[in-house]
């Protein structure tokens, strides 16, 4: 069975506070471990009242402190916003505190609007693919033995990250196009596709990743390609209720496109959107498992089988946090039943 994980953006709902959102995130972390999800990641976002996942490393620390076996990490840290040394020191510290449960997923987008990105950035630097790959090589060096050689000295300027040395934090490359997939393959790292909101190049990206995969790269951490892909989730006892609850997610998507983002709104009986907005949302959110547990599981099985996906990372929004928690719990229970049935059939 394809593994299931969770991507949390710590959504803030209308009528609630950031503190409420963080409390909900803590409950979801505990649920993820209890329900058997493989990992829980947090995504970095800024300048939005809808999400409380800005200080990603702090959320990871909180989740790790409230669980004992669940893998916790970033999906991802947006590398243009951070100096690699600071990232290495933060995640090296997390690894020392919580052991081999920490993942570092890295993205090349800023995770925010251009004005906010300009304020976050650490000065003038190159955001191109070559610079991104070089920063990942530097991070791999920080998490390794930090033996000085010509390339590492050039990249690190002779500066070491003692707290990160030898922690071997697993690195993942996030992407929504063939560019990120190529970098992941060339560096011999696992690839996480943002198909939950940008599925348009998924097939090409996965093909590129597998074609470019180099297990002999100095940065390689796995022996063969490994693909994780994102999917949206809303599961309820009936399809009608699931579709109703999913309108909160759809409203958030449309608000972002309109530039009117704010806290998550309650579900509505009927979406108020223009035809082009409906078409855009339907296309961008087409990797969405919405329905009963059986229907959602069938959708995810088909999705994983169609692309040869090793792991699916699920994200979901609801105005009522209890409905979000119920959705993830129902999905995990259905997936476990499928796994048990498959094991029984294999004898």
């Amino acid at each position: 069975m394809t593994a299931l994980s969770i991507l949390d953006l710590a959504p803030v709902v209308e009528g609630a506070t950031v503190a409420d959102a963080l409390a909900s995130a803590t409950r979801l972390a505990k649920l993820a471990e209890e329900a058997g999800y493989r990992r829980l990641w947090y995504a970095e976002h800024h300048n939005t009242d809808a999400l409380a996942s800005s200080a990603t490393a702090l959320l990871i620390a909180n989740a790790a402190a409230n669980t004992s076996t669940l893998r916790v990490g970033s999906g991802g840290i947006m590398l243009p916003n951070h100096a690699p040394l600071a990232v290495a020191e933060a995640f090296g510290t997390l690894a020392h505190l919580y052991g081999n449960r920490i993942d570092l997923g890295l993205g090349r987008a800023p995770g925010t609007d251009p004005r906010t990105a300009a304020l976050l950035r650490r000065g003038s630097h190159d955001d191109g693919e070559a610079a991104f790959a070089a920063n990942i090589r530097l991070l791999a060096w920080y998490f390794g033995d930090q033996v000085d050689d010509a390339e590492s000295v050039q990249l690190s300027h002779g500066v070491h990250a003692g707290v990160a040395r030898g922690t071997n934090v697993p690195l993942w490359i996030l992407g929504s196009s063939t560019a990120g997939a190529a970098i992941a393959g060339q560096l011999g790292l696992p690839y996480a596709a943002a198909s939950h909101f940008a599925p348009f190049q998924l097939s090409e990206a996965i093909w590129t990743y597998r074609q470019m995969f180099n297990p002999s790269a100095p940065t390689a951490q796995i022996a063969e390609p490994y693909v994780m892909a994102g999917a949206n989730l809303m599961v309820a006892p009936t399809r009608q209720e699931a579709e109703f609850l999913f309108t909160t997610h759809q409203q958030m998507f449309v608000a972002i496109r309109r530039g009117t983002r704010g806290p998550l709104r309650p579900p509505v009986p009927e979406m108020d959107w223009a035809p082009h907005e409906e078409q855009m949302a339907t296309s961008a959110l087409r990797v969405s498992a919405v329905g009963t547990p059986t229907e959602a599981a069938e959708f995810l099985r088909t999705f994983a089988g169609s692309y040869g996906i090793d792991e699916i990372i699920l994200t979901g929004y609801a105005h009522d946090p209890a409905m979000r928690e119920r959705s993830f719990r129902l999905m995990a229970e259905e997936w476990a039943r499928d796994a048990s049935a498959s094991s029984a059939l294999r004898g």
Side-chain angles (χ1 to χ4, degrees):
M1 292 288 290
T2 305
L4 293 185
S5 294
I6 295 176
L7 176 66
D8 189 9
L9 280 66
V12 182
V13 304
E14 197 171 75
T17 66
V18 170
D20 294 329
L22 297 179
S24 175
T26 302
R27 290 195 304 272
L28 186 62
K30 295 176 180 179
L31 183 156
E33 181 167 78
E34 293 166 3
Y37 285 95
R38 175 167 292 184
R39 69 186 88 237
L40 171 68
W41 280 3
Y42 295 100
E44 177 184 349
H45 287 274
H46 302 277
N47 191 29
T48 173
D49 293 330
L51 308 169
S53 57
S54 304
T56 315
L58 296 181
L59 288 177
I60 293 169
N62 177 66
N66 281 279
T67 57
S68 58
T69 59
L70 182 70
R71 296 201 64 85
V72 188
S74 62
I77 289 292
M78 300 295 105
L79 204 47
N81 301 336
H82 308 279
L85 176 61
V87 174
E89 290 177 336
F91 278 77
T93 301
L94 287 169
H96 283 295
L97 287 171
Y98 302 110
N100 185 29
R101 295 200 287 137
I102 305 300
D103 298 324
L104 175 53
L106 297 160
R108 191 161 62 92
T112 188
D113 59 272
R115 183 179 59 179
T116 306
L119 292 174
L120 283 166
R121 291 181 178 187
R122 55 187 187 273
S124 178
H125 61 283
D126 183 1
D127 287 340
E129 295 166 20
F132 181 61
N135 283 331
I136 294 167
R137 291 197 299 273
L138 177 57
L139 281 167
W141 181 79
Y142 282 137
F143 292 125
D145 295 330
Q146 297 184 27
V147 176
D148 289 325
D149 55 30
E151 182 188 37
S152 65
V153 170
Q154 182 180 11
L155 291 172
S156 70
H157 303 287
V159 175
H160 293 249
V163 72
R165 183 184 288 112
T167 55
N168 298 307
V169 172
L171 302 178
W172 292 69
I173 306 302
L174 281 59
S176 59
S177 68
T178 56
I183 292 172
Q186 291 165 355
L187 298 179
L189 298 173
Y191 176 62
S195 43
H196 56 298
F197 70 89
F200 312 107
Q201 294 188 35
L202 181 59
S203 181
E204 296 89 338
I206 292 176
W207 183 87
T208 299
Y209 169 63
R210 290 179 175 141
Q211 289 296 309
M212 301 291 289
F213 187 79
N214 179 12
S216 300
T219 51
Q221 295 183 343
I222 52 177
E224 56 187 25
Y226 190 93
V227 176
M228 174 194 286
N232 303 298
L233 182 75
M234 179 46 67
V235 174
T238 68
R239 181 171 186 82
Q240 182 179 17
E241 183 185 2
E243 290 176 344
F244 172 68
L245 294 172
F246 190 62
T247 60
T248 291
H249 194 144
Q250 292 170 316
Q251 289 180 85
M252 183 188 74
F253 182 87
V254 172
I256 291 171
R257 296 304 185 271
R258 291 175 178 172
T260 59
R261 68 179 70 187
L264 269 62
R265 297 167 183 158
V268 293
E270 185 174 348
M271 286 290 295
D272 179 20
W273 51 14
H276 75 277
E277 291 175 327
E278 180 179 7
Q279 182 179 18
M280 177 178 59
T282 300
S283 179
L285 302 178
R286 62 177 178 259
V287 184
S288 297
V290 179
T292 66
T294 301
E295 291 169 336
E298 179 59 28
F299 177 92
L300 294 176
R301 280 195 302 269
T302 301
F303 173 60
S306 298
Y307 294 96
I309 292 166
D310 300 293
E311 185 171 343
I312 300 173
I313 189 161
L314 301 167
T315 189
Y317 305 93
H319 183 261
D320 182 351
M323 295 298 97
R324 181 172 78 138
E325 293 164 19
R326 183 187 68 174
S327 176
F328 281 116
R329 188 177 296 281
L330 289 173
M331 187 69 256
E333 291 170 354
E334 181 67 24
W335 208 249
R337 278 193 291 270
D338 284 352
S340 298
S342 297
S343 298
L345 288 172
R346 287 195 298 269

